[in-house]
Structure formats: C-alpha cells, structure tokens
Amino acid sequence: MYFYKEDLINMIVPDKPDPAAAKVLQEALGGQFGEMRTMMQYSFQSANFRGKDKQYRDLIRGVFLEEISHVELVQTTINQLLNGSGEVNDAGNSGPSQAPLADPVMHGNPHHYIMGAQASLPVDAGGNPWNGSWVYSHGNLISDLLNNVILESTGVLQKSRIYEMSSNKTFRETIAFLIVRDNAHQNAFAKALETLGVNWGKVFPIPNYDINKYPECRKYVEMGYHNAQFNFRLDSTRIGEIFTGESPSRDSGDLQVTDPPKGFPVPDLPEMPNEHSPGLNDLNQ
Amino acid sequence: MYFYKEDLINMIVPDKPDPAAAKVLQEALGGQFGEMRTMMQYSFQSANFRGKDKQYRDLIRGVFLEEISHVELVQTTINQLLNGSGEVNDAGNSGPSQAPLADPVMHGNPHHYIMGAQASLPVDAGGNPWNGSWVYSHGNLISDLLNNVILESTGVLQKSRIYEMSSNKTFRETIAFLIVRDNAHQNAFAKALETLGVNWGKVFPIPNYDINKYPECRKYVEMGYHNAQFNFRLDSTRIGEIFTGESPSRDSGDLQVTDPPKGFPVPDLPEMPNEHSPGLNDLNQ
Amino acid sequence: MYFYKEDLINMIVPDKPDPAAAKVLQEALGGQFGEMRTMMQYSFQSANFRGKDKQYRDLIRGVFLEEISHVELVQTTINQLLNGSGEVNDAGNSGPSQAPLADPVMHGNPHHYIMGAQASLPVDAGGNPWNGSWVYSHGNLISDLLNNVILESTGVLQKSRIYEMSSNKTFRETIAFLIVRDNAHQNAFAKALETLGVNWGKVFPIPNYDINKYPECRKYVEMGYHNAQFNFRLDSTRIGEIFTGESPSRDSGDLQVTDPPKGFPVPDLPEMPNEHSPGLNDLNQ
Amino acid sequence: MYFYKEDLINMIVPDKPDPAAAKVLQEALGGQFGEMRTMMQYSFQSANFRGKDKQYRDLIRGVFLEEISHVELVQTTINQLLNGSGEVNDAGNSGPSQAPLADPVMHGNPHHYIMGAQASLPVDAGGNPWNGSWVYSHGNLISDLLNNVILESTGVLQKSRIYEMSSNKTFRETIAFLIVRDNAHQNAFAKALETLGVNWGKVFPIPNYDINKYPECRKYVEMGYHNAQFNFRLDSTRIGEIFTGESPSRDSGDLQVTDPPKGFPVPDLPEMPNEHSPGLNDLNQ
Amino acid sequence: MYFYKEDLINMIVPDKPDPAAAKVLQEALGGQFGEMRTMMQYSFQSANFRGKDKQYRDLIRGVFLEEISHVELVQTTINQLLNGSGEVNDAGNSGPSQAPLADPVMHGNPHHYIMGAQASLPVDAGGNPWNGSWVYSHGNLISDLLNNVILESTGVLQKSRIYEMSSNKTFRETIAFLIVRDNAHQNAFAKALETLGVNWGKVFPIPNYDINKYPECRKYVEMGYHNAQFNFRLDSTRIGEIFTGESPSRDSGDLQVTDPPKGFPVPDLPEMPNEHSPGLNDLNQ
Amino acid sequence: MYFYKEDLINMIVPDKPDPAAAKVLQEALGGQFGEMRTMMQYSFQSANFRGKDKQYRDLIRGVFLEEISHVELVQTTINQLLNGSGEVNDAGNSGPSQAPLADPVMHGNPHHYIMGAQASLPVDAGGNPWNGSWVYSHGNLISDLLNNVILESTGVLQKSRIYEMSSNKTFRETIAFLIVRDNAHQNAFAKALETLGVNWGKVFPIPNYDINKYPECRKYVEMGYHNAQFNFRLDSTRIGEIFTGESPSRDSGDLQVTDPPKGFPVPDLPEMPNEHSPGLNDLNQ
C-alpha cells in the first residue's frame, strides 16, 4: 500500500510564464521516455516479478516509488510555466482584452488551454497521448534491466536536449534535478547488471556528457544525488544489497541508499476565473 | 512524496488458472474505466487543482492514493490467474510437451504469453493499450467531479458485467472488493457535489443493483467499506470535511474516513523456466 | 439540415443469437471500409466541395445521406445478433446461472458485453476503434471519386468474405442488402468518372463476382437496387445529371434516381436487467 | 431514415482568413468533446436503447439529429477561415509567388493544406484524428445521461476557452451559437435526470459563466435558443414529455420543443486552382 | 533477397537549414501517402500475390524496390534540412549560447530535436507516427491496383502542395524528383489496369497539373523519368510485359523499363557534440 | 540503392494450415519487436548516422539489409499457414459449404480473412497495427546500440515463447531460423559495444536458453549461422572491422562475415476464387 505526505521532491524555482517551454517539457512527463513511462514500467516489473532474488524487485520498486514523486514534480513545473501565460500581450493580434489566448497557443500546446485550465496533460511534446504499449515488462530479469538502463539513459539524453530549448529558470531547475536522478537510476540498473557479471567499461554515463556543464546540476552532484537511491519504504528493503559499492559510471563515487529529500512546498495555483477554474465562486456565496 | 509498505490492500483467494478470466479482467486494469485511468486521472486533477478550497483536492488525492494500491491488486490477481496456465493440456492440439501454450492463447490474450511471462499488461480486455487521452482534468471542479462520478459508476457497471464472465474465485474476489470500493468512491464524488447543492434523489448507486446479489461483496459491505474512505496520508488532510454525514446513495449509512485495511501478503510468483523468467538460474551458479 | 423518420432502410430478419457473427459484422460498421467511414467521408467531401459543378457534390451528398441509414441498419443488426446471447449455455464452464457470459466472450468481442449492454460499438472486427485518419477528402474531385470507387469496391469485397463467416439469417440479410447497395454506389462513383472520360471496360463490378451466388441478394437485384440511387433530399438535387443512362458495370441496366424504400420497423430491444440496461426499474416505482 | 434540405443551421459571418483559428476550431469538430463525438455518441445510444421508456430515446435521438447539422456548420466555418489563407504574404520567407503556403502552415495545421484543399478534417486542435473509443454507450440510461451531461458541459467549457483564441468574427459567431446550443442540450440531459429524481441545485450551467459576457451569444439567448429543443422529426416524437417545464439551470426559463431555425445559405467555396481543387478545368474543355 | 550499393537515387542540393521545411517534408516519408506507405504496401502486395499472372507481381515488386531508395532519399533530405538548424539565432529569446534550440522548435517538429539528433523520424507532417493500418493489400488484383493508382496520385497531389511551403532548394529538388517518379508509378498502375480493359480518357495525370510549372521537375521529364521504370532486379523480370507502349496519361510518350540512375553520393552528416551524437569522442581517446 | 533477386533467405517447410499459428506469428512480423521494427529501426539509424566511424554504420546497415529478407520470409510463412484454412470443416457451425470461414476466424485473426485474402498483414499477434513510434533512432551511438541489443534479445525471448504455441512445422522452421539469426544480430550489437569497452560477462545470450532445446535450430547452429553476418553489399563494407573475433556470448565461437545463404524458392500461392483473389479469371477470357 502507498502513503503520502504533501511535499514535492524538489523545489519549484519561480520565473516568467513560458508556454513553449511547457509544451516541450511535456516530453518528460507523458513522452515515451518520460516519468509516466518509468513509473508504470517499474510498477509492472515489480508486480510481475518472479522468483526468489527479491533484492532485484526491491531495487525496481524503489525506483518506482520515486517516479511517482517525479510525475508530481513535472506536473507542477508545467503548471508553473503556464500560470499567467494567458495575460501575455500579442501585438500582431487584437490585443489582450479581445483574444488573450491567441498568442500562447501559437507556440504552446493548444490543449494546455482547451483540455487543461493552463495545466499539465498526459501527453508528449508533440501532443501525442501517453501509451501503454511503451511499458516493457517481459519478466526476464536481464532484458528488463537492460531496457531500464536504456530508458533512464534516453531520459538523460532527451533532457540534455530539452534543456537547450529555453533558459527559463523554473524549466531548467526541474530538468537539472531529473538529469541527476535519471543518472542515479541509470547507475542503479547498470549496477544490478554488474552483479550479474557485466563490466561496463567506459560507456556510462550515457550520454557521454560533462554534468558540470549544467550549472543547475552541480549542487545536486555535490549533494551526492547522482549516487544515492532514496528509500521510500516504510518497511525493510533489500535494495542495499545491490545499490552499494563503486558506481558503474566514470563519474565515480560510492553508491548508497539514503533518506529522501526533506520535501518542498507545493506552490498554490491561483484561481483562474477566465478559465472557469475551479469555477466555484458564485456557488459558494 | 509517496511511501510504501509491501502489503496488498486485499487478499488473493487461490483457485485454478483461468486465461480467459485474466484476459477480461485486464479491462479493470488498463481499460478506459479501469484502475490505471482512475489513478492517473486523480493524479492530474490533484496536481492541477486551482484555488483555496483544498478540501476538494484532499478528497481527490485521497482516492488517488488508494488507486495506486488497486493497480497493484489487479496486476497481482491477473498474475495469479495466469500462473500455471501453460501446463493446461490441449487434446485438439499436439499435447502439452509439444505446444503447451497452444491452448491458453486460444481464449486468452496472446500478449500475456509473448510480452509478459504469464503476467499482467497495461491493456484492456480487447488488448488495446492504455491511453492518456482518457484522463479528464479540465480544472473546472464541477465538471471534474461529475466526470469522476461517471468514471466510478462505469467502473461498477462494467465490473458487474465482467463478474458474469467466470466463476473463478480469485477473479470474483478481487472484482467484488473493487465493486464495493468503486461504490465508496462514487459516494465520495457524489457527496462532494452535494456540498455544492445537488440532491441526487434515488439515482445512486449506479448501476441500480442489489449489492447482496454478489456473495463476495457482502462481507465488505458488512465491514462498511462502501461508506469508508481509507486515509493514506502521513500528514493531515481535510478530506473529512466532505466525506462525512449521510451517504448520497439509497444504500444508506454514514460516510467516514477510516484507517486503511491491515494489509495482505503479496503472493510469491514462482519461477517459470519455460518462459525464461526470471532467467537467472545458470548465471547465479 | 437533417430530418428523420423512425424507419429502417431494410428489414431485420429474425434468427438465433450469434456473438461471433456480431463480432465480425462490426467490420461493416466501424471498420476502415465500413459504413461509418463512408458516412463521414462523404460528409467531409460534400461540405468541403469547391467550384461550380455541383452535380458532383449532389451525388456525393446523396450517397452520404443513405449511409446514415446504413449505420443505423448495421447497429440494429448487431444488436439483434447479440440479444439473448448471454443465456447461451456453456458446458465447459460452470453453467449459465454462474457465469452466463463465459461462453459468448470466448468467440465474441468482450467489449460487446463490457462497454455495451450486448450492443453495437464504433469498432472493427478486431476491436480497433474507428479512426478519423481513414477519411479521404483531398478536394481534388478525380482523386476523391477514385477513392470513393475503391472504398465501395472494398466494401463489397470484404462483405463477400464476411458473408462466409456465418450462415445466420439476420447476419446474411443485412450483408446481402449492403452488398447490393455498395454495388449501386460503386456504379455511382464509376459513372461520375465516366462523365470525365473514363471507359471502365470490364473491370466492374469489383470484385468480379456473380451476385446470384448470394440468394439473399437476388431479390434486391430484381428490385433494381443495384442500379438505383435513393433520393433523401427534401429540396431539389442535380444528382440525376450524373446518375443516369447505362451502368458502368457488366451487370448492365440503366441507372436511375428513385424514392427511398418504404421503411421498415425498428425492432424493440428488450430490457436486460442482468446488464443493468436500461436500469430504470426500481427508480420508476 | 434521414432526409436533408440544403440549409445551414446558422449563418456564416464573413471575416478575414485565419489559419490559427481554423486549427483550434477543429477541437469543436473532431475533438474528444466536439460535434463528431456528440453526433456518434447519440447515434449509438439511440440505436442501442433498451426498454419501453422511449421518451428518453426520442430525446437522445432528437439531439443526435441536430448534431449532424452542427458537424456541417463547423466544417463550413473552418473552410471559411481557411479560404484564401494561402495568399497571405510572409515577409520573413520568400514572398507569395515562391512559397505561398510557408506562412499559413507556421501557425495553422499543415494537414489543412496537405490532406485538405484548405478545408476541414476529422481531427482535433492538436491534429489527432477522431477516435471511436470516445463514444460512451453503456446502455444504462442513468450513466449514459450523466455522460451526456458531462459531454455537453465540457463542450461549453472548451468553447468558452477557444473563444479567447481569436477575435475573428466568422470564428466567434459559430462558437457563440454552439455555446448556446450546448447549453440547451445540457439542459435536456439534466432535465431527463430530474425526471429520475435528481435536483441539481445551483450547479448548472457548467461552467459557471455569464452568457452575457459573450456579445455574440446574447441574440441567441434572446431568441430562447438556450431553452429550446429543435424538432427534426418527420413523424411524431415523445421528446416533449421530458423537455418541458422549468429549466434545470440558474439561467431560468421554460423548456420547449420548437421548429428548427429557418435555414441559412451554404456559402460557395471558390475553386482553388493552386490546390488542384476541384481540378476539373481542362478536363471539361 | 535484397542487395545494396551505397548510392542515393538522386542528388541532394545544398541550401540553408530549414526546420519548418523538414517538418512538412515528413509527410512524404512517414505520412499516410508517403514513401514508407508505398514501400510497405508494395512489399505486402507482392509477397501476398496469388495466381499465375506474375507479370503483375513483378510490376508491383519493381516499384517496391524503388521505394526503398525513396525512403532513404527523403530521410537524407530531411537530415540535410535540419543540419545546423540549432545554431540559428533567435532575437526574441535569450540568444544561441543560452537556448539554441528555442527557435527551431517554434516552427519545426520538437521531436526532430528530442527523439532525433536533428534527424528524420517515421512520422508525418503533424507528428503522427506511421501506421500499419494504412497498408492496402486485399489480394484482389483490380482493387489493389486501383488503390495503388490513388496512392501514387495522392502522393503527387500532396507534394504539389508541400512544394508551396518553402522555396528551399534542398527541399524542392527532392520533391520535384519524387513528383516525377510518382507520376511514373501512377502510369505503371494505370497501365496495368489498361491491360485489363480500362480506358482512362483524359483523367491522368492526377492531379491535372502542368509539370513544367515546376522548374526542378523539367530536367527529369527531359530525361524521360516520368515514363521510365527503373529495374533493380538482379534476375529476370516480366515487368516489361506491362510497362510498355503508350503512356496512359495525357503527358504522352512511350513507357520503358530502364537501368536505374547512376547513383549519387550520400552526404556526410557531421558530428553534433551538443546533441551527443554520435557521442563517441571521449570514449575513443 | 537496393537490388533484388527472387529468393527467400530460408526454406518454407510444408505442413497443414494453422490459422491460430498464423495469428501469433504476426508478432514476429508486425509486432513491437518484430521484423518490420528491426528493418525500419536500422534503416533510420543508418540514414541518420553522424560522424566518421562508419564501421558502425556499415554494421547497422548490414543487419538492416537482412531484415528486409526476414520481412519477406515471415510474410511468406504466414501465407503458407493460412493457405487452405478456409476449407477446414466446422462441426459446430453449419458445414463448409455454408460458412467455410466460421471456424478459422474463431481462433485466427478475422482480418486475415477480411482485409487479406488469407494473407499476412502489418499487425501484431493482437491485431494492433505496426506503429512508427516504436523506432528508436536517437543518434547517440551507444544508446542506439544498446537499444538494438534489447530489440534483438527481446526478439529471441518472444520467439522462444511463440514457438510453444504450435507444433506446426512450417511455423517452427521459420521461428527457429529467426531465433538463430536474432542471436547473430544480438552478437553483432553486443560486439560493437565490446569495441567501446563493455565486457558482457555471462549475460549473453538473452534469454539464457539452451539453443539445442530447439531441434529445428540445431542445423543452423551447425552451419555457424549464430556467429555469421551475411553480407548483402554490392560494394565494399567495413562491417568486418567490428564483426570479427570471439563471440560476446557464452555460446562461443568466432564471428565472421560470410556470403548470404544460397536462396530458396518462393512458394506459389494458389488462386483463391472464393476470396476473389486475384479475381482476374473472367476478365482474361
């Protein structure tokens, strides 16, 4: 069973609205290599796990638990990027009082304004809805672990590209945190394969990047987040049997299971009367 | 942030393998009105919530938290129904030693045996993958709540039909538990609309069914599960401001927020060497 | 604007329930070459029509109007095939009182019993939902007409194969009527291309079949339905400028615009309390 | 059977081309809560209706009939918005004589210019094709009616947001008409639930909006369109047994069944030789 | 079996990067009427061919073989249009050093930069992935050939529209070559139907266009490419029994089977370190 | 450019029709890990390849070329399994003369008989069409190679399960050949990663299976097919720089580039008049 404390796993850094950034950040939420995919893939792999070597199940489930918080973090970041974007003026059209959404839907995702009240959706950067066929849970531990390595590696690779699409601080802080955590999860699954005999040589991290290039990443590296696995279990777990010892990556260091971050406040989303959201005003009078 | 204790929210009752039952039960997992939809819909609605009336957000999030456990329960039930189904003989074909999967794929979902190692998948009873476009999160509280009422009501309606598709005990116990809990969630969202002025008259429960017709449901009704909202929060919640007082349904009684069930053991899934699952045997030697 | 009289365009012939037949007949309703496709394709082609040669638009719209009635006819036929199918006994399972739907979902479409109350759905024979990308409306009259020829020809070809999948009379009567009408529509679009200079030689009808092979078709041929275009317009139409003169098919005869059939009663669908359909009983007390 | 008179259900107000408006208006045609969905949903619900209380079927079918005209109205509006949009100059590119479509595909839907000859398509504002899985027809009258309430309410909610995306008059007039009619249909289904005992209190209209905020809506309200159900039946109907008496909405007034609007001319779509539409010119010489 | 020589079937003409052109050109690669569709459709039709008249199979397979090269040509053209597009400055945003991809994803396909390293994808101009349901292979030779005629005709029609979307030379040269080749394939399938008795009159070419309007097409017409079928067989073929004699099109001339073009160099794609592509640098040290 | 010789890459072993086997074998053709996916993935990866280390591109392209032949082999095998399946009697239905397709559509894929003339389709074992979103071509060589390892490994894993679904000889011979070839391709991509420093230890082959368990595989292993890469290039290739030396798998041996198999005859598919395929009979008289 699953329990909850109303805390975000990382902070939301304030900046201006940015509908185009919100649109591309959807890839990290509802895309083929986004957080909904990791969450559901590890949910199925841990529920479908066969056999007695449950330290591997505990590892997969441990990452699954963190991904639920990642989904919430990206949803919240997208909401922050969309908040107030309908007030942005639009010289080329007819002025904010007449068509305040004309401008944001130009470069943003129109569904953010039609299906959401300037809020996140379960779709990717192209607007395609999340799809269950992406989940890989074949029940063969090695193929499942290799697929997880690819999933996390592609997550970092895509985020290193999405990072270049806006310099908005709200956007980049969340991407940077997720890059570091995807890195840790890449290490987790690579390490699990090491316990089965693989020696990865110099291939990790994938992609072959200098994490110090991203100033927002640096503090998380200094906090050791790239080599930590947060433990969200209220009972005991065997995750530490695998997630221990030297990192499989050239970004060396020792892997260790730690407590989760202390938790960060969930920003309040203001009412949006123009969007009829939440739309309770007169009813409550 | 989300925390976990390795307990199922309800028991798994043992019975024989039943691939056809596993196939149709997928509707309750990956179908348009199944548990993955409820889980993701309430995740988006609670993360995207606007305004100050957070008792409604707490209600939606409270149901969301339970749905994560429901997903795990249905995954585990499907696995139990599939376990050992490949040994079933098949007179019309060439015998179990030669084509042991010929029979189960006749009436089951072939992907349970190709993509899963006799295990659950994120698809519906027709094999269609779960789809993000099903999530409704428009940010208008009344339309979101009405959609949730329909979602839970359709959940019960479909499960009352799926129940007729097999008399397998593993299958029916889980369906019965979910019928009662969908009923409670129907009550939760209907009650929230009552606080906004709606008087539902005699329309609930939807469908208009006698819950005593389902022997497996009765004990859950006696335990008051149809009028209870389990609380999975580790911090405080305002859910009790709404989920209280008389039930909006003809199945009367008082609504109350309670502790979750005590938790039930997760069954061990045996190794399946024929499916190469988990496939570690020789490697570990 | 569109007007309605509660009449079916053809009769429903009674026979036993046949869930497998209902499943495959869905191809003629929600399949890529089924009646929903023809209806929507001609709707878009007539609304999007450019230029002054409106006799072609009137022809396309004329067929569109009939297709709305075809959709209703196939929906009704599928419902008739499903009616009472839940009572069919199943020796291999546990008896009708315990799992009355175990048998019909074996060879039928499970969604007929989960999403529908033993009723039609907008899906094809494989359970895939109808999809808007199938609609062809490119605005070039010749390519649109050629696509329509292929659409109607493939409709006949598929129905001549579906016909072989059950000898149920309800099933075959509707297929036979639709074969003859698809034939007429094939003639309509082929004739329109004749007015633009094409001489079809011996290629029509497609497929190259003897319509007399289908005993159910014969009476419709004798009534001239293969060379008739029914006129559903309440105002004037120029359809007769094209749909006239010799048939473009080897099944010769003269094309003519006629009144629609006299209309046939819509069968009453009985209540299905087990399916909670319509589910009003106690409420109305 | 279905009959037709070549009249639009509302007028087309002329204004300049607006490809971005055409793109977002597609949501009201081929979107999950657009007119194709309402048309097909009510088609299936009325054909699949079970039992004797046919006043409900007549109500659902009555709305279905109007939706066929709505589809035609939105198709025609989109066409009007696209007409001539290829001539718009584009300073940043290479000039109209060299790449006249470079500019409109920037903010419009490229498929409007590739698959259509500057014409409507069965897709939503994000370009996703219409999908049959959206149709809800479960055969339980209460769940079907509640789903219809949500469908119409979401239709208004979305249109109140789409309205803000352009001040183009062609665009806004059609949206305004549809908002008022969705309102009437919301009333119809809410009223049907009132006959089953529900008292809606103050929740309607959904969203909680002031219809006078939309100047284009006002005249339709003054004509009583928000409380009228147009009757397109050529035979008798029992729709008046339900659609009568006081509105279930705070926008009070008495519901009544009336004649349809008088009908409005279908605008001529000019030939577009550059798009090879209709492409008959030389052939007819 | 299939053999390969590293040559493109046509040249790549250099010009500036153009992300918007790359986006719309995807229609010709992964769209419903693009080269992946033609390749796969003719692959299935030739493998599934029944009966003894194998000159028709050889014709279909002959076109199939060329389409594999077309896929490679369009992939390479899109890559050329994307190369270096990330360096394009963006005054309105924060400058290339800070968000170099902000500008190209505005009017381009974001997935070209997220899923591809500025490279081609199996999607259409709207970003929808290629879909197997588009393949038409019904096994009736006449309906298959008619569908092929429509497929090639729609290919030309769409490309004549896409041509208007950018004046980029890389873009237009490839489109022009493909227009002429689609024209030849249109002739091939139309001619095959002529052997079965059809006389096409004046309908071909579809669309009814003056190929001389496209300056880039002219040289290919002068080389006779519109009336040639390239032969990629290493063994003998009966294609010449059909593809011979007078063209079925008003663009007259004699059809003949010829050798393929001489082959053109595949441009080198530079490394893109910012995209981590290929990402080998440090590893190879 | 691509060239062709009408030879299959492996033999077709005759056996009885088997519609259920044809249905599940579709996974190896149009499934997420089937031959269409491998063919298109390597097509995109080789066309999109960046940088100078072209020995890797030559390796990927080399496998791509073989996959085109694999597609043809699986298409042909499915056709062989379907041939004559319509004649199978059906005691429970009405006899072969009346509904000859009633039986095969029970356990087969109905679309094999509706959309195909008893012939292969671009769909998976569940009838879902092939989808372009499955193609992975991110342009980072290591992530692309890792994804290819997973793709080939999952191909073997799935085929080892599909093998258990029928003992039909036509079916098993093709599966066995493909298992051995997927094994060779697994080796190819694993070896490429070895050149970048990875030491795989004991993880290969994936799954961890004894290839001698499959009697049909043994002869291909004896021919060295699991360690061979066939060369389909008509010009030179650098593939041998990578595909050489010791196998990365516990199934040891030396890798080497060899000539393709000698080629096997394509079976003639008989006419099927009942399916109107090819449907030329009377026309040719």
Side-chain angles (χ1 to χ4, degrees), chain A residues 29 31-49 56-57 59-65 67-68 71 130-154 189, chain B residues 36 39-40 71 75 115 120-122, chain F residues 32-33 147 150 154:
Chain A
L29 177 57
Q32 194 172 356
F33 299 90
E35 307 299 335
M36 288 176 67
R37 158 89 180 279
T38 53
M39 177 176 81
M40 292 314 308
Q41 179 152 319
Y42 306 148
S43 162
F44 274 88
Q45 285 184 5
S46 51
N48 295 347
F49 192 90
Y56 296 101
R57 180 170 71 177
L59 180 80
I60 294 166
R61 182 168 278 149
V63 184
F64 161 42
L65 295 172
E67 303 294 4
I68 317 180
V71 165
W130 194 85
N131 191 287
S133 72
W134 297 335
V135 166
Y136 186 101
S137 173
H138 273 65
N140 179 281
L141 184 62
I142 296 174
S143 70
D144 282 358
L145 289 172
L146 270 175
N147 193 281
N148 297 353
V149 167
I150 272 292
L151 174 49
E152 298 288 347
S153 302
T154 308
F189 297 120
Chain B
M36 287 177 66
M39 177 176 83
M40 292 313 309
V71 165
Q75 290 168 329
M115 295 208 146
S120 67
L121 292 169
Chain F
Q32 194 173 355
F33 299 90
N147 193 282
I150 272 291
T154 309

Side-chain angles (χ1 to χ4, degrees), chain C residues 1 3-7 48 50 54 61 83 120 130 132 139-142 234-235 268 276-278 283, chain D residues 1 3-7 48 50 54 61 83 120 130 132 139-142 234-235 268 276-278 283:
Chain C
M1 283 188 284
F3 301 86
Y4 180 72
K5 192 153 167 298
E6 192 171 287
D7 281 321
N48 295 347
R50 291 191 176 279
K54 295 193 180 166
R61 181 168 278 149
N83 257 341
S120 66
W130 194 85
N140 179 281
L141 185 61
I142 295 174
L234 301 176
D235 50 5
D268 282 336
H276 307 295
S277 176
L283 291 178
Chain D
M1 282 187 285
F3 300 85
Y4 179 72
K5 192 153 168 298
E6 192 171 289
D7 281 321
N48 295 348
R50 290 192 176 280
K54 295 194 180 165
R61 182 168 277 148
N83 257 342
S120 66
W130 194 85
N140 179 281
L141 185 61
I142 296 174
L234 301 176
D235 50 6
D268 282 337
H276 306 295
S277 177
L283 290 177

Side-chain angles (χ1 to χ4, degrees), chain D residues 229-282:
Chain D
Q229 182 55 37
F230 305 141
N231 180 17
F232 296 96
R233 292 288 290 263
L234 301 176
D235 50 6
S236 66
T237 170
R238 295 176 55 192
I239 191 171
E241 297 176 25
I242 295 170
F243 200 86
T244 184
E246 206 176 342
S247 164
S249 158
R250 286 176 298 159
D251 296 343
S252 52
D254 275 353
L255 304 179
Q256 52 187 329
V257 179
T258 70
D259 283 340
K262 66 178 174 62
F264 297 86
V266 181
D268 282 337
L269 288 177
E271 301 205 355
M272 270 194 189
N274 283 341
E275 302 274 353
H276 306 295
S277 177
L280 290 178
N281 325 38
D282 299 343

Side-chain angles (χ1 to χ4, degrees), chain C residues 1-9 26 29 36 39-40 43-44 47-54 56-58 61 64-66 68-69 71-72 75-76 79 82-84 114-123 129-133 135 137-142 195-196 231-235 260-264 266-272 275-280 283-284, chain D residues 1-9 26 29 36 39-40 43-44 47-54 56-58 61 64-66 68-69 71-72 75-76 79 82-84 114-123 129-133 135 137-142 195-196 231-235 260-264 266-272 275-280 283-284:
Chain C
M1 283 188 284
Y2 299 82
F3 301 86
Y4 180 72
K5 192 153 167 298
E6 192 171 287
D7 281 321
L8 290 178
I9 197 170
Q26 283 283 163
L29 177 55
M36 287 177 68
M39 177 175 83
M40 292 313 309
S43 162
F44 274 89
N48 295 347
F49 193 90
R50 291 191 176 279
K52 307 191 171 185
D53 296 304
K54 295 193 180 166
Y56 295 101
R57 179 169 73 174
D58 281 1
R61 181 168 278 149
F64 161 42
L65 295 172
E66 181 171 347
I68 316 179
S69 295
V71 166
E72 193 176 10
Q75 288 168 330
T76 305
N79 292 344
L82 291 169
N83 257 341
I114 295 174
M115 295 208 146
Q118 307 194 10
S120 66
L121 292 168
V123 303
W130 194 85
N131 191 287
S133 71
V135 166
S137 173
H138 273 66
N140 179 281
L141 185 61
I142 295 174
T195 68
L196 300 171
N231 180 16
F232 296 96
R233 291 288 291 262
L234 301 176
D235 50 5
K262 67 178 173 62
F264 297 86
V266 181
D268 282 336
L269 289 178
E271 301 204 356
M272 270 192 188
E275 302 273 355
H276 307 295
S277 176
L280 290 178
L283 291 178
N284 285 337
Chain D
M1 282 187 285
Y2 300 81
F3 300 85
Y4 179 72
K5 192 153 168 298
E6 192 171 289
D7 281 321
L8 290 178
I9 196 170
Q26 282 284 162
L29 177 55
M36 287 176 67
M39 176 176 82
M40 292 313 307
S43 162
F44 275 88
N48 295 348
F49 192 89
R50 290 192 176 280
K52 305 188 173 191
D53 297 303
K54 295 194 180 165
Y56 296 101
R57 180 169 73 176
D58 281 1
R61 182 168 277 148
F64 162 42
L65 296 172
E66 180 170 346
I68 317 179
S69 295
V71 166
E72 193 176 9
Q75 289 167 330
T76 305
N79 293 345
L82 291 170
N83 257 342
I114 296 174
M115 294 209 146
Q118 307 194 9
S120 66
L121 293 168
V123 304
W130 194 85
N131 191 287
S133 73
V135 166
S137 172
H138 273 67
N140 179 281
L141 185 61
I142 296 174
T195 69
L196 300 170
N231 180 17
F232 296 96
R233 292 288 290 263
L234 301 176
D235 50 6
K262 66 178 174 62
F264 297 86
V266 181
D268 282 337
L269 288 177
E271 301 205 355
M272 270 194 189
E275 302 274 353
H276 306 295
S277 177
L280 290 178
L283 290 177
N284 286 337

Side-chain angles (χ1 to χ4, degrees), chain B residues 3 24 51 69 93 110 123 127 153-154 166 185 231:
Chain B
F3 300 86
V24 294
S69 295
N93 274 267
V123 304
S153 302
T154 308
S166 171
H185 298 161
N231 180 17

Side-chain angles (χ1 to χ4, degrees), chain E residues 1 3-7 48 50 54 61 83 120 130 132 139-142 234-235 268 276-278 283, chain F residues 1 3-7 48 50 54 61 83 120 130 132 139-142 234-235 268 276-278 283:
Chain E
M1 283 187 283
F3 300 86
Y4 178 73
K5 195 155 166 295
E6 192 171 287
D7 281 320
N48 296 347
R50 291 192 175 280
K54 295 194 181 166
R61 182 168 278 148
N83 258 340
S120 66
W130 193 85
N140 179 281
L141 184 61
I142 296 174
L234 301 176
D235 51 5
D268 282 336
H276 307 294
S277 177
L283 291 177
Chain F
M1 282 187 286
F3 300 85
Y4 179 73
K5 192 153 167 298
E6 191 172 289
D7 281 321
N48 295 347
R50 291 191 176 279
K54 296 194 181 165
R61 181 168 278 148
N83 258 341
S120 67
W130 194 85
N140 179 282
L141 184 61
I142 296 174
L234 301 176
D235 50 7
D268 282 337
H276 307 295
S277 175
L283 290 177

